[in-house]
Amino acid sequence: MKVKSKVISIVSAALLLMGTAACSNDTASTDATKAKSSKGPVTFTYFGADPVPTWNNMQDEVGKEITKRTGVTLKASYQVGNDDKVGLIASSGQYPDLISPKGSAAKMVDAGAMVDLKPLIEKYAPNIKKLIGNNWGRLKYSNEDPKVYFIPTYDAVGQKQFDAGGGFELQHAAVKEAGYPQIKTLQDYENVIKQYVKKHPTVDGKPTVGMSLIGSDWHFLITVTNNATGATGKPDEGEYSIDPKTHKATFHSRLPEEKEYFKWLNHMNDIGLLDSQSFVQTYDQYLAKVASGRVVGLADQSWSYGSAENTLKGAGKDELTYGHYPVTLNDKYKRHDFQSIGFNAGWGIGITKNCKDPIRAIKFLDFLASDEGQILNYWGIKDKQYKVDNGKRVIPADVQEQKTKNNAEFTKKTGIGMYNISMRYGDGMKDSTGNYYTTNFPENVVKNYSKETKEVLSHYNAKTWKDLFPSEKEFPVLPWGAAWSINASSNTEYGAIFQKAEDTAKSYVTKAILAKPADFDKEWDNYLKALDAIGVKKMEAEYTKLVKARVELWSSK
Amino acid sequence: MAKRRSALPTNTSDRIFDICNMAFMMIVVVVMLYPFLNVLAISFNTSLDTVKGGITIWPRDFTLENYKKILEYDTLLVGLKNSVLRTVLGTFLGVLCDSMIAYTLSRKDYKARKFVSTFLALTLFFSGGLVPGYMLVRDLQLMNTFWVYILPGMVSVFNIFIIRSFIDNLPISLQESAKLDGANDFVIYWRIILPLCKPVLATVALFIAVGQWNSWFDTYLYNSMSPSLTTLQYELVKILQNTNSTTNANAQSAENIANMVTPESIKMAVTIFVTVPVLVIYPFLQKYFMQGMTLGAVKD
Amino acid sequence: MKTLPLEVSKPMVVKTKKSVWSKILSQKYLILMSFPFVIWVFVFSYIPIWGWTMAFQNFKPGLSFSQQEWVGLQNFKELFLDHDFYLVMRNTLAMSIMELVAGFLCPIVLAVLLHELKNKYFKRTVQTISYLPHFVSWVVVSGIVIQMLSTDGGVVNQLLMNLHVINKPIEFMGKENWFWSIVTTADVWKEVGWNTIIYLAAIAGIDPQLYEAAKVDGASRFRQIWHITIPGIRTTITILLILSIGNLINIGFEKQMLLGNPLVQSHSNVIQLYALNYGIGLGRYSFGTAVGIFNSVVSIILLFSANRIFKKTTGESVM
């Protein structure tokens, strides 16, 4: 065909043309601390790799105040959908002034796009410096490139948890009817559900559901596999379990002890206590079910089912809301929910080479890290969103109501909590006035409990759900911090195997859970075989290397 | 046309046909109306109650609150302006270009016809991918400009073929007589072809308009740092943004996002707000492709 | 079939011995009306094809073109050696062929039947309503579908139970064998009204006198449809059919992703989702591009084959 050859020749000409034009790279590198800094109003562009649906172009109250104090306006843009925008930004050289690339940090660093922050912080950012303390070693990018490109923003410094949000959940009514028994093992948990379902086969005319999961989308990780980790006495390390001594990483859902957990789910399905819709229903349908009050047991996180629980509260059905119990496979295991990750760095915000005024940018981040900036972000504006009574910061009741009723709306309007883009202190840390930095503190937790919740807790001699769980003092601090924030290997084969392993687990573990009990072992063996076939050992070896590298990096100064 | 046809006598089999057809269409109406009514009902329901699920075509706990809230989103107004602008301009230019090329391709005597149609058809089936497209827009200096909404998609090959197939069915004699009168090709296109093509031009206009109205990805890719260039659909997508991302999901960031997720009812209210304008223009275009032509002029 | 409009349009056979230049000159308006857009398409569609080089590299964003590592055909090898790829291709082709058949016939039937409606206002109302689902997102539509087919109070199961067709609710969404049909049905439901619009426009272009003549001859409604309406929109049907055959492999992934679940994973995974999950989604641009090239090559082969077949059998074609 003549046309075809014509087309081909044109295309190849274009290729030659574009090959040279498309790939220019800005490699000019200057010492950022020597740049000139301006004083007047300035605009910085910013890209964040996590969506922020409430972003309002700084037209919210806190945003306006930040602009007033610093002269800085952020033009922010956030990740939408699954496409890799950080990759595009890195390839095109169209870097924003500030970027928080999450797990894609390597792309920006490989492109030579990031500015070394250490000299800037030393010179211009006393507040950030204070927050870092003697943890500079943890901020280094890697053993080979020990510069500081990002300051951590995903974890707040010194964060303490005051309440449990995970574990296994049971409705207060079920626990009450069972006579407040000890709930420590899966057997205890199952007994409570079994008794209650037997007594109340229907709720408002619809069948009572023993235990429901959402295995149809990514919540699979939260409600199915993560619980296998929790119930077998391991901290949540994402999809891996890391040996504390050898630092060897294993894809956790293939471990023999977790098989026992899935076997229990299989048993629950067999006796009809596991919702048969668990792997089919959508998240909305799951929430609707929970909100109807007919699900006795959950294995979820409170942030995930919270909106359904709010509906129950709104309807005055506090007895059908949930408590969190430290359930394990058997009494050999101890739950590690509260094991500390220490000062966690890895993911965070950085300044790019395209930023015209890095000094101003670091000063801006430093303002957000100051006491003033943090209180603005956490509490809002004085005498509007909070008051000071006898030196104590308090949130007026009407503001608190707006906040609980419609958090998204409240955030959009006030901007509270939306400027977590610099370093900051976490829950439980106090400022120089003796007030907590954040609005989450022990007194508040108990204050927000319902009467029913308090009653249930009193039978277990506990003030909060956290008291039921082993405390963080029982465990050493994890030397690698949070495993999920280890920047994924740039080895692309690793990524593909990991994705495959996740897909395999989803499909095979589901099949095993729903199989007839007699077939469970057979299905499980198929799962292990399928994992071997895709090269799970290779993947684990690669990840083990990453963990070891992080431990080495973080123990340096 | 409809009147003239019914004026002729009808027999029994015709009547049975009509009754069956009516009955069938009734079913179609019911089945097709459901999803839209469902969205509408949820948008008028309180968000706390919506979580319970089970809303079908009637709100259970009626409220106007959701709509009041979205009117406070001032970004939606900026988005509305840009969306209207890009839709109007994009549709006008698109219809013009597409029909012009389609006319040349319908001319069997046009020497470059085969080359041009193959050259165009191929583009329907390949793309260089995200990165080269992004670089091209960067190199053409279209980033953070309004023109990125208009220029890259101005020529639509699919629409060209649709228009061409319509022109192919028109009687050719008109063109020939015009040619004998000494009219040049552009005049024939402008004076004779365009007026006859109203049904298909209305269709293509609808396709382009809906495409323009619904697109958000270009805003996200190229103009997301320019709040003044935002579009309605992009604002919608941001609001609809859920925690349902399939990749890189981890508990930590999921928790952060979960706290900011917009309630279902407000999402549906925004959906209605964004969809209604495009539904409103529909009847104006519909009359062109539903009525058929008043073909006084087209006689062999 | 007396007057097929197409048969009228024979090429004008006027033999001349003019030079190339005078031919160009005589068609200068046609050239001016099409070539600026050819350049346009060249810039926006052809130039970005340099990106295909990424398939032969281990592309890393941020490095310049000369710094990229060339790996030859490794990405294609990986693609073709992947067992999942064949599964994914099977699903893609199965679903797209089902969609091609159903999604192609239904709009034509609906358009023809709409055209036969006598009451102008009823006709318009039905048409407007039938296109509404196009504007409802897949998230909402798939939620409705899953709810309707649920064993927990779903309409379909209740109906079948009341009719005593089944005595225990069927878990439709959990059955691999049902998945393709469910996706196809949902797709027809959502898009049929929208897709009729093209045919309605084509029908509107048919000369009304043809119907008058048929009526006078006493032709029944079915005969009118068969001999006037269908031939009148044949060109449109052919063009759309050729283009959608070329598009067979570009099935999208949203509906499969939203309707799917781990139980039907082996039947729900399609090529676009595969490319996203194992390509761009992981930052593996090279692998994603390799999948893209594979798609394009298959599409273009399908396009040319379909075009040729139709040209030979019906005389109508895109190119």
Side-chain angles (χ1 to χ4, degrees):
Chain A
M1 270 194 231
K2 265 187 211 160
V3 179
K4 221 174 188 181
S5 61
K6 244 187 238 168
V7 171
I8 289 168
S9 65
I10 293 170
V11 170
S12 45
L15 283 178
L16 286 173
L17 248 160
M18 292 314 290
T20 47
C23 310
S24 55
N25 209 2
D26 206 348
T27 44
S29 151
T30 45
D31 187 355
T33 53
K34 289 193 184 112
K36 275 185 193 155
S37 181
S38 63
K39 284 247 164 67
V42 65
T43 301
F44 287 124
T45 50
Y46 166 70
F47 180 80
D50 264 330
V52 178
T54 47
W55 180 252
N56 200 11
N57 299 323
M58 292 190 87
Q59 290 309 299
D60 45 83
E61 292 173 51
V62 170
K64 280 181 185 157
E65 187 67 21
I66 291 176
T67 307
K68 209 169 99 191
R69 305 258 188 109
T70 61
V72 173
T73 310
L74 271 192
K75 275 193 178 175
S77 157
Y78 297 93
Q79 179 77 30
V80 173
N82 297 325
D83 287 287
D84 175 35
K85 185 142 183 204
V86 176
L88 285 180
I89 290 172
S91 328
S92 68
Q94 304 276 309
Y95 318 135
D97 299 320
L98 299 161
I99 189 166
S100 173
K102 209 175 157 184
S104 300
K107 287 170 194 155
M108 293 301 289
V109 175
D110 285 351
M114 304 309 296
V115 168
D116 183 9
L117 297 179
K118 194 168 177 182
L120 283 170
I121 294 172
E122 296 275 16
K123 220 164 158 185
Y124 301 105
N127 294 306
I128 295 178
K129 203 172 159 189
K130 193 174 124 206
L131 276 149
I132 295 171
N134 53 5
N135 288 306
W136 282 101
R138 297 196 163 198
L139 265 68
K140 288 182 198 163
Y141 178 68
S142 70
N143 294 311
E144 295 76 35
D145 185 1
K147 291 207 179 82
V148 175
Y149 294 123
F150 302 98
I151 52 171
T153 57
Y154 274 76
D155 274 289
V157 177
Q159 168 96 10
K160 278 197 192 62
Q161 281 172 287
F162 304 116
D163 199 6
F168 284 71
E169 292 85 17
L170 282 168
Q171 284 182 326
H172 296 331
V175 178
K176 190 177 174 186
E177 279 195 24
Y180 305 105
Q182 170 178 289
I183 303 170
K184 285 252 156 98
T185 65
L186 288 174
Q187 192 59 50
D188 302 336
Y189 176 75
E190 181 187 331
N191 289 343
V192 174
I193 294 177
K194 207 190 268 168
Q195 280 175 29
Y196 190 78
V197 174
K198 211 173 187 182
K199 251 197 205 160
H200 310 269
T202 58
V203 173
D204 297 334
K206 282 192 163 173
T208 311
V209 176
M211 174 187 192
S212 194
L213 311 172
I214 340 153
S216 61
D217 58 17
W218 66 269
H219 288 90
F220 184 88
L221 302 178
I222 312 287
T223 66
V224 185
T225 47
N226 273 5
N227 290 310
T229 308
T232 53
K234 289 175 296 222
D236 178 6
E237 310 271 24
E239 292 311 281
Y240 289 99
S241 158
I242 299 167
D243 187 305
K245 285 196 197 90
T246 62
H247 301 160
K248 191 184 169 311
T250 317
F251 190 66
H252 72 72
S253 61
R254 75 187 186 94
L255 289 167
E257 66 262 30
E258 301 206 359
K259 177 186 172 187
E260 294 309 308
Y261 174 75
F262 295 123
K263 202 170 190 168
W264 174 76
L265 278 181
N266 175 281
H267 156 75
M268 289 291 276
N269 182 51
D270 183 48
I271 59 175
L273 288 185
L274 178 68
D275 185 0
S276 66
Q277 305 270 293
S278 287
F279 296 93
V280 178
Q281 64 191 344
T282 62
Y283 180 52
D284 286 342
Q285 286 160 4
Y286 167 81
L287 288 182
K289 218 177 264 176
V290 174
S292 72
R294 62 193 178 102
V295 183
V296 187
L298 300 175
D300 204 352
Q301 299 282 329
S302 47
W303 52 260
S304 167
Y305 66 84
S307 58
E309 200 172 40
N310 283 343
T311 305
L312 283 171
K313 280 181 197 158
K317 294 179 179 167
D318 283 319
E319 76 282 4
L320 297 179
T321 60
Y322 298 86
H324 302 268
Y325 299 90
V327 173
T328 52
L329 188 60
N330 55 47
D331 43 24
K332 275 208 321 241
Y333 296 106
K334 230 194 224 174
R335 285 199 70 105
H336 284 232
D337 299 63
F338 293 98
Q339 181 161 15
S340 168
I341 52 172
F343 178 95
N344 194 43
W347 292 3
I349 194 170
I351 300 174
T352 72
K353 296 232 157 105
N354 279 15
C355 180
K356 297 239 166 58
D357 194 347
I359 296 171
R360 192 74 188 273
I362 200 76
K363 281 184 176 163
F364 169 66
L365 294 177
D366 195 55
F367 169 77
L368 291 175
S370 69
D371 280 10
E372 203 186 350
Q374 290 193 53
I375 290 159
L376 200 55
N377 175 43
Y378 281 132
W379 291 81
I381 291 158
K382 195 180 163 189
D383 296 327
K384 265 189 178 166
Q385 280 87 31
Y386 73 93
K387 285 185 299 201
V388 179
D389 277 355
N390 302 326
K392 280 246 164 237
R393 278 195 288 274
V394 282
I395 301 175
D398 57 321
V399 176
Q400 183 60 43
E401 199 199 320
Q402 283 173 38
K403 196 173 177 175
T404 19
K405 218 174 147 194
N406 191 341
N407 196 8
E409 209 49 48
F410 181 77
T411 311
K412 186 154 194 143
K413 215 179 103 215
T414 61
I416 290 176
M418 215 156 48
Y419 296 88
N420 290 342
I421 53 174
S422 184
M423 289 186 75
R424 62 199 182 275
Y425 286 112
D427 298 343
M429 300 296 281
K430 286 182 180 176
D431 66 6
S432 53
T433 65
N435 278 299
Y436 289 106
Y437 278 104
T438 74
T439 52
N440 228 350
F441 42 89
E443 295 88 327
N444 252 3
V445 170
V446 180
K447 211 173 88 191
N448 290 337
Y449 280 155
S450 68
K451 205 180 93 223
E452 277 76 7
T453 308
K454 282 181 194 152
E455 195 195 328
V456 174
L457 281 170
S458 72
H459 284 89
Y460 292 101
N461 295 321
K463 269 207 186 110
T464 67
W465 298 112
K466 193 193 169 198
D467 297 343
L468 302 178
F469 288 72
S471 109
E472 61 260 50
K473 289 180 193 117
E474 297 182 41
F475 312 107
V477 173
L478 291 171
W480 51 83
W484 48 258
S485 72
I486 295 180
N487 283 328
S489 165
S490 56
N491 174 350
T492 61
E493 196 194 354
Y494 165 82
I497 305 180
F498 182 76
Q499 176 77 31
K500 255 192 188 160
E502 272 193 325
D503 285 353
T504 309
K506 245 187 180 180
S507 153
Y508 281 79
V509 169
T510 305
K511 269 189 198 139
I513 292 171
L514 298 182
K516 290 197 190 84
D519 295 337
F520 179 82
D521 287 327
K522 201 179 76 203
E523 294 285 349
W524 189 261
D525 289 342
N526 287 342
Y527 171 48
L528 296 185
K529 262 184 229 148
L531 281 182
D532 274 339
I534 59 166
V536 76
K537 300 251 161 67
K538 215 172 170 185
M539 171 186 98
E540 289 171 350
E542 178 77 26
Y543 196 75
T544 305
K545 252 196 276 171
L546 292 175
V547 173
K548 285 186 172 154
R550 161 143 319 172
V551 174
E552 188 195 327
L553 179 69
W554 280 22
S555 47
S556 68
K557 280 285 153 200
Chain B
M1 174 185 121
K3 257 184 200 159
R4 268 201 275 165
R5 277 176 72 188
S6 54
L8 282 157
T10 49
N11 54 30
T12 353
S13 79
D14 268 9
R15 221 165 276 151
I16 294 172
F17 178 91
D18 282 334
I19 290 169
C20 292
N21 201 6
M22 284 288 270
F24 175 73
M25 288 301 165
M26 288 301 205
I27 298 172
V28 169
V29 166
V30 172
V31 170
M32 294 298 178
L33 211 47
Y34 182 76
F36 197 76
L37 287 183
N38 185 244
V39 173
L40 203 61
I42 294 176
S43 75
F44 282 111
N45 205 48
T46 58
S47 36
L48 205 61
D49 183 75
T50 302
V51 180
K52 284 188 210 156
I55 291 171
T56 51
I57 59 167
W58 207 248
R60 191 167 43 209
D61 190 3
F62 183 84
T63 179
L64 288 172
E65 203 53 33
N66 303 320
Y67 285 94
K68 265 190 214 149
K69 287 227 176 80
I70 61 168
L71 288 179
E72 287 168 13
Y73 291 13
D74 42 6
T75 46
L76 289 185
L77 290 177
V78 184
L80 182 67
K81 189 197 87 196
N82 286 318
S83 284
V84 168
L85 209 60
R86 73 178 285 180
T87 303
V88 171
L89 198 62
T91 309
F92 175 73
L93 289 174
V95 169
L96 194 71
C97 300
D98 292 346
S99 59
M100 206 165 355
I101 309 169
Y103 168 64
T104 67
L105 295 184
S106 75
R107 285 280 300 267
K108 300 260 183 330
D109 57 328
Y110 180 33
K111 295 288 182 225
R113 179 171 165 253
K114 197 172 154 60
F115 164 73
V116 174
S117 54
T118 311
F119 188 80
L120 295 180
L122 285 176
T123 62
L124 281 172
F125 304 103
F126 60 70
S127 93
L130 213 51
V131 177
Y134 194 80
M135 304 258 212
L136 182 70
V137 168
R138 178 197 65 183
D139 293 340
L140 293 173
Q141 310 279 321
L142 289 176
M143 279 187 124
N144 297 311
T145 65
F146 177 77
W147 293 104
V148 79
Y149 299 143
I150 306 293
L151 298 185
M154 201 170 81
V155 176
S156 154
V157 177
F158 181 80
N159 291 337
I160 292 172
F161 287 126
I162 296 297
I163 301 174
R164 194 191 76 182
S165 77
F166 191 91
I167 300 178
D168 278 350
N169 273 354
L170 292 174
I172 199 165
S173 47
L174 279 168
Q175 292 189 42
E176 279 171 8
S177 59
K179 206 152 205 189
L180 291 177
D181 291 347
N184 71 36
D185 292 326
F186 185 79
V187 172
I188 296 176
Y189 157 75
W190 191 254
R191 291 263 169 80
I192 297 172
I193 301 296
L194 271 192
L196 286 176
C197 282
K198 266 185 200 153
V200 76
L201 294 186
T203 314
V204 166
L206 182 71
F207 288 169
I208 301 177
V210 169
Q212 282 283 3
W213 186 263
N214 280 348
S215 64
W216 58 271
F217 200 60
D218 45 13
T219 315
Y220 167 56
L221 278 188
Y222 308 120
N223 287 349
S224 62
M225 302 280 184
S226 310
S228 62
L229 290 172
T230 191
T231 53
L232 200 51
Q233 205 64 227
Y234 178 56
E235 293 302 320
L236 171 72
V237 169
K238 281 199 289 183
I239 292 166
L240 294 188
Q241 178 84 331
N242 218 330
T243 43
N244 60 4
S245 88
T246 51
T247 47
N248 295 332
N250 66 59
Q252 203 67 27
S253 45
E255 177 170 1
N256 291 333
I257 301 160
N259 291 330
M260 284 188 267
V261 164
T262 319
E264 194 67 16
S265 292
I266 294 190
K267 284 185 187 173
M268 293 304 142
V270 182
T271 307
I272 295 289
F273 181 80
V274 170
T275 315
V276 162
V278 88
L279 296 181
V280 168
I281 60 157
Y282 187 61
F284 297 102
L285 292 169
Q286 191 190 33
K287 69 172 183 236
Y288 290 106
F289 55 77
M290 291 294 283
Q291 254 171 2
M293 292 183 287
T294 39
L295 281 178
V298 194
K299 274 180 190 162
D300 295 65
Chain C
M1 278 210 277
K2 283 170 278 180
T3 42
L4 251 188
L6 244 172
E7 287 166 15
V8 187
S9 56
K10 278 180 195 135
M12 291 184 269
V13 209
V14 189
K15 283 216 170 176
T16 43
K17 285 182 184 173
K18 286 179 194 166
S19 70
V20 182
W21 284 111
S22 64
K23 266 183 202 162
I24 289 179
L25 208 64
S26 74
Q27 297 196 326
K28 60 177 182 291
Y29 285 103
L30 292 178
I31 292 171
L32 279 175
M33 283 162 75
S34 60
F35 269 81
F37 302 110
V38 168
I39 295 167
W40 196 281
V41 169
F42 177 76
V43 170
F44 284 103
S45 296
Y46 282 88
I47 287 180
I49 300 182
W50 69 262
W52 282 14
T53 53
M54 286 196 287
F56 308 97
Q57 300 169 334
N58 183 7
F59 180 82
K60 287 208 174 110
L63 299 188
S64 75
F65 194 76
S66 53
Q67 285 172 300
Q68 301 291 353
E69 177 197 353
W70 293 84
V71 296
L73 292 172
Q74 197 198 307
N75 288 303
F76 290 95
K77 230 188 249 166
E78 193 184 328
L79 178 67
F80 295 128
L81 287 178
D82 186 359
H83 178 69
D84 282 354
F85 169 69
Y86 297 95
L87 197 73
V88 163
M89 277 311 290
R90 180 201 67 179
N91 298 339
T92 308
L93 290 177
M95 273 183 266
S96 53
I97 289 172
M98 284 170 79
E99 239 157 64
L100 182 70
V101 176
F104 204 73
L105 287 178
C106 297
I108 296 175
V109 172
L110 187 62
V112 169
L113 291 180
L114 271 171
H115 178 68
E116 293 297 325
L117 283 180
K118 283 183 180 155
N119 184 313
K120 195 171 104 187
Y121 296 101
F122 184 61
K123 188 165 152 186
R124 279 200 186 185
T125 314
V126 175
Q127 207 271 318
T128 308
I129 286 171
S130 74
Y131 107 132
L132 282 181
H134 176 76
F135 294 95
V136 179
S137 72
W138 268 112
V139 180
V140 174
V141 171
S142 61
I144 294 174
V145 169
I146 294 171
Q147 184 58 50
M148 277 179 16
L149 295 174
S150 154
T151 52
D152 187 52
V155 184
V156 176
N157 270 312
Q158 276 178 354
L159 195 73
L160 292 176
M161 296 266 278
N162 291 341
L163 294 172
H164 297 285
V165 181
I166 51 173
N167 47 26
K168 222 182 99 189
I170 299 176
E171 186 68 89
F172 290 100
M173 296 312 298
K175 299 261 189 304
E176 290 177 343
N177 297 336
W178 284 93
F179 188 75
W180 295 344
S181 316
I182 292 172
V183 168
T184 310
T185 315
D187 191 63
V188 168
W189 179 29
K190 189 169 176 316
E191 302 299 339
V192 66
W194 175 252
N195 289 334
T196 52
I197 293 174
I198 282 186
Y199 299 108
L200 286 171
I203 291 174
I206 297 174
D207 188 348
Q209 289 176 348
L210 296 177
Y211 290 101
E212 302 297 332
K215 284 227 150 174
V216 173
D217 291 349
S220 76
R221 297 284 278 278
F222 281 107
R223 286 185 71 84
Q224 289 178 34
I225 291 173
W226 192 250
H227 290 296
I228 300 168
T229 315
I230 301 285
I233 59 175
R234 209 178 66 187
T235 327
T236 308
I237 295 180
T238 315
I239 301 282
L240 285 178
L241 193 57
I242 295 173
L243 292 181
S244 25
I245 288 174
N247 242 334
L248 216 49
I249 200 169
N250 299 323
I251 187 173
F253 63 86
E254 207 185 356
K255 47 186 180 270
Q256 287 86 357
M257 188 175 85
L258 290 165
L259 286 165
N261 60 60
L263 290 170
V264 294
Q265 200 170 292
S266 64
H267 280 61
S268 65
N269 203 357
V270 286
I271 190 86
Q272 266 81 22
L273 189 59
Y274 177 83
L276 177 70
N277 280 347
Y278 290 96
I280 293 273
L282 296 175
R284 297 168 87 220
Y285 289 89
S286 297
F287 188 74
T289 311
V291 178
I293 293 178
F294 172 78
N295 277 356
S296 300
V297 170
V298 171
S299 296
I300 288 170
I301 292 173
L302 285 171
L303 173 73
F304 276 101
S305 320
N307 193 56
R308 177 162 286 192
I309 291 168
F310 278 98
K311 203 171 198 172
K312 278 206 173 132
T313 53
T314 68
E316 285 156 28
S317 63
V318 175
M319 287 167 284

